[in-house]
Amino acid sequence: MALAARRDAATYRDILASNAEEFERLARMVSDMLLLAKTARGVDLPHKERFSARQDALALLDFYEAVAEEKHIRLRVEGDGEIEGDRLMFRRAVSNLLSNALKFTPHGEVRLEAEYLYGELCISVRDTGVGISAEEKERIFGAFERLDNARNIPGFGLGLAITARLVSEMRGRVEVKSVPGE
C-alpha cells in the first residue's frame, strides 16, 4: 500500500517506523512460540543456581516502576526465600505475572510475596485488579488464550502459558485465586 502512490519522505519514514514496530512485535511472538515449543519437550536447566527470590523480585519491580507510576499503582515485595533453579526462567515467569497484574489493575497495588508454606517456597503476585471468573481461570494458561476483557490490550495470549511451563520445569506449580470485583 505504501508504494501504491507517491508520498513525501516523512510519510515513508512513518510507514517504515510502523513496519519496524510490527516486525519487532512479530519477532517477540515467534520467540515466545519457540520458547513454548522448547518447554513442551522439556528443558534442561543448564544454569541451575541458588538465589534470593526477594532480590530478583526487586530487580523486576525496578523494571516495571515506570508503568506502575503512570497507572498510580504501588509495587511492593514482601518476604524472601531461597530458590534453586534457573534464574532467567524464574525472572521470565514472574515478569509475565507482574506484566499481567499491571495490565489488569487500573489503580491500587501489585504485591509480590515470598513465603514458606508447608515447607515449600510460595511466590505470589497479588493485585487489586478486576479479577477473573471461575470459567476464565480454567483457560488463562492456554497458549493464545485471550479473555474477553483482554481483547483490546496488547499481547498474544502466550505469557501465562509460558509462565506455567517454566514453573513446571522448575518443579513448581501455578495456581490462580481470584474473585471478580474484589
Side-chain angles (χ1 to χ4, degrees):
M1 291 298 294
L3 298 174
R6 292 193 71 109
R7 301 172 198 290
D8 62 32
T11 302
Y12 283 125
R13 274 192 293 279
D14 289 344
I15 292 168
L16 288 172
S18 176
N19 286 342
E21 286 176 16
E22 184 63 16
F23 292 143
E24 286 177 26
R25 191 178 77 79
L26 291 171
R28 279 193 310 275
M29 181 178 72
V30 169
S31 175
D32 286 348
M33 290 170 58
L34 288 171
L35 180 58
L36 263 179
K38 273 185 185 175
T39 57
R41 291 191 327 254
V43 175
D44 292 330
L45 298 178
H47 304 294
K48 194 171 185 179
E49 61 185 298
R50 203 165 188 76
F51 58 93
S52 161
R54 181 178 185 81
Q55 292 306 312
D56 279 60
L58 287 169
L60 288 169
L61 291 192
D62 283 345
F63 179 77
Y64 285 107
E65 188 65 39
V67 173
E69 281 180 17
E70 187 176 297
K71 293 182 74 177
H72 305 288
I73 296 172
R74 187 168 68 128
L75 297 175
R76 288 188 349 193
V77 174
E78 294 180 1
D80 196 2
E82 290 288 313
I83 295 175
E84 188 166 337
D86 187 294
R87 176 177 269 152
L88 292 176
M89 288 174 73
F90 172 78
R91 282 189 175 196
R92 178 75 183 265
V94 173
S95 180
N96 286 344
L97 295 173
L98 289 171
S99 175
N100 269 24
L102 287 167
K103 283 179 188 176
F104 296 104
T105 301
H107 55 77
E109 178 179 86
V110 172
R111 185 173 70 242
L112 193 141
E113 298 174 357
E115 62 183 329
Y116 285 95
L117 297 172
Y118 308 108
E120 292 184 343
L121 182 62
C122 177
I123 306 293
S124 302
V125 175
R126 300 175 188 264
D127 61 59
T128 55
V130 297
I132 60 172
S133 69
E135 304 83 50
E136 291 174 326
K137 283 187 222 178
E138 301 297 320
R139 298 180 12 224
I140 63 171
F141 292 106
F144 299 105
E145 193 62 52
R146 307 267 302 160
L147 303 180
D148 289 340
N149 68 343
R151 300 261 182 239
N152 62 344
I153 295 175
F156 304 107
L158 292 171
L160 292 179
I162 289 171
T163 295
R165 294 247 180 99
L166 292 177
V167 170
S168 176
E169 291 299 323
M170 291 189 293
R171 291 181 271 135
R173 65 182 183 282
V174 178
E175 297 176 9
V176 178
K177 295 179 183 172
S178 179
V179 177
E182 290 186 14

